[in-house]
Amino acid sequence: MEKAYELKALGQYIKEEAAKDGLHLAEEAVEKLAKAAYRGTKRWAKESAVLSPNKVDDVLMLSYDFADQIVEPAIEKLDLDGDGK
């Protein structure tokens, strides 16, 4: 990893960890999984914040809408094998 929180490195680590258990993921599968994991986590966190009596998490969930502008394009740019796709 060259930079902190580099999504390309995260994708590679996910692919490597899956392979340890015999699951060999194609690059496209890892990229789609990254998008699904982000969106699923976002949905889960927002729904949990609504149900939680703690109001601090309600405020924190507002940051997800801003994070979308950074995270979604970064996921779209994932290119684990360096082929430009």
Side-chain angles (χ1 to χ4, degrees):
M1 183 164 39
E2 296 176 20
K3 294 185 275 182
Y5 305 107
E6 188 176 41
L7 288 179
K8 182 176 181 178
L10 175 59
Q12 187 62 41
Y13 296 161
I14 290 169
K15 187 175 177 180
E16 291 169 7
E17 289 299 320
K20 288 179 183 178
D21 290 324
L23 179 61
H24 298 282
L25 298 170
E27 177 185 16
E28 182 181 2
V30 173
E31 293 167 0
K32 288 183 179 188
L33 180 60
K35 189 182 291 184
Y38 172 72
R39 290 178 177 168
T41 301
K42 177 181 166 182
R43 180 178 169 192
W44 169 79
K46 283 187 164 193
E47 289 180 17
S48 292
V50 170
L51 297 173
S52 167
N54 184 346
K55 296 302 169 198
V56 174
D57 56 6
D58 294 344
V59 174
L60 292 175
M61 289 308 105
L62 298 174
S63 65
Y64 258 123
D65 294 328
F66 295 107
D68 287 351
Q69 299 168 24
I70 298 166
V71 175
E72 294 271 350
I75 291 171
E76 292 296 326
K77 291 180 187 175
L78 283 177
D79 183 16
L80 298 180
D81 59 11
D83 69 353
K85 298 180 191 173

